[in-house]
Amino acid sequence: SWALEHRPLPARVRWWQVAPSSVPRREAESFSSLDLLLNSPFEWVLTYAARLRPSGVLAMSDGPLLYGKLAHRLVEEGYGRAGVLTMPEAAFGAWFGAALARVVAEEGAVLLMPGQRAALERFRARLRRAFDELRAQLLRARVVQAVPEMALAGSFAGGPIRGSADLVVGKRNGERAI
């Protein structure tokens, strides 16, 4: 049998003092990490230096957060593997229906619960209109390539910076846009 010695937690302290040398310098920053560092340094230390993360166990996404996550995933899949930029309308419609059903089952199952059918159908209609409009805009702009989640790297006065762009598009003449 294991006997554990009871030890009380340390007393709460209002302010912490951390020596700058105890916070390791990161190899590179991202826009998100720089934004946090400048606007909420204590949160940056807890997130990036101490690597503390909130538990996802008790959080269930719904509403705009869930819809954004699902839409982002479909854009990533559609422009990444499926090639929706160049597929004919009928093929796009078939891809969209099947991909949305799969992504909702995998990452948005809360929308499959009883009483959520109307929310799912509103989301499906809005997302389809958004996809149709994005495809139309890109085609009107003569975009021939769309790459989701493209890794980007550069530097600024503080050192290297890395991140990814949600969607990088390119024209035949080599022009690119994020």
Side-chain angles (χ1 to χ4, degrees), residues 142-158:
R142 295 190 175 96
V143 167
V144 295
Q145 182 186 31
V147 180
E149 297 301 318
M150 180 182 276
L152 301 172
S155 62
F156 72 111

Side-chain angles (χ1 to χ4, degrees), residues 5-29:
E5 177 187 339
H6 174 72
R7 289 190 296 177
L9 292 171
R12 283 191 304 191
V13 286
R14 173 84 172 138
W15 304 104
W16 292 0
Q17 300 256 333
V18 178
S21 61
S22 67
V23 178
R25 184 170 174 89
R26 291 168 28 101
E27 185 178 311
E29 297 298 336

Side-chain angles (χ1 to χ4, degrees), residues 35-47:
D35 183 52
L36 200 59
L37 177 63
L38 296 173
N39 293 304
S40 186
F42 66 91
E43 192 174 354
W44 184 94
V45 168
L46 294 174
T47 301

Side-chain angles (χ1 to χ4, degrees), residues 61-84:
S61 293
D62 65 351
L65 186 62
L66 175 62
Y67 300 146
K69 179 181 172 186
L70 297 175
H72 189 273
R73 176 90 133 89
L74 277 177
V75 167
E76 188 177 329
E77 286 189 13
Y79 287 95
R81 289 185 292 276
V84 300

Side-chain angles (χ1 to χ4, degrees), residues 78-93:
Y79 287 95
R81 289 185 292 276
V84 300
L85 186 60
T86 57
M87 73 176 52
E89 185 59 34
F92 170 72

